[in-house]
């Protein structure tokens, strides 16, 4: 059994703009909360820090709380506020 898990991160809005792509595949240690995904992306692209407190989280097509633990193979969505018409 491995001590890491692989997740797919779907990027939208500011996150997608920062990375220039719509999806990432990343590894995290076991028992990692979904908020750690956001924190890792912000550490790699500090300009995203303005979205830290307003980003919502989705795992496998369901909204979840920031402390929800990731499972191997999860699909994570980070949803910053968006506006438009």
């Amino acid at each position: 059994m491995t001590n890491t898990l692989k997740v797919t991160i779907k990027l939208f809005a500011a996150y997608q703009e920062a990375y220039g792509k719509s999806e990432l595949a990343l590894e995290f240690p076991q028992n990692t909360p979904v908020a750690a995904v956001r924190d890792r992306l912000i550490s790699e692209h500090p300009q995203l820090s303005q979205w830290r407190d307003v980003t919502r989280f989705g795992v496998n097509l369901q909204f979840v709380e920031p402390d929800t633990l990731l499972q191997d193979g999860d699909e994570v969505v980070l949803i910053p506020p968006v506006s438009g018409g």
Side-chain angles (χ1 to χ4, degrees), residues 13 17 51 80-85:
E17 290 172 23
W51 306 113
V82 294
S83 62

Side-chain angles (χ1 to χ4, degrees), residues 12-79:
F12 296 96
Y15 290 97
Q16 188 177 77
E17 290 172 23
Y19 278 88
K21 56 178 83 174
S22 61
E23 185 174 300
L24 300 172
L26 298 176
E27 290 189 15
F28 291 89
Q30 292 286 338
N31 298 314
T32 295
V34 70
V37 173
R38 176 206 56 207
D39 294 345
R40 179 166 167 181
L41 299 188
I42 290 172
S43 74
E44 293 175 1
H45 291 274
Q47 72 271 28
L48 295 171
S49 64
Q50 65 182 316
W51 306 113
R52 179 184 308 276
D53 296 332
V54 293
T55 295
R56 294 193 61 196
F57 303 96
V59 175
N60 302 326
L61 302 177
Q62 298 213 331
F63 285 112
V64 297
E65 295 299 318
D67 61 352
T68 300
L69 295 181
L70 296 171
Q71 301 295 316
D72 191 49
D74 278 349
E75 182 178 273
V76 176
V77 179
L78 302 180
I79 308 162

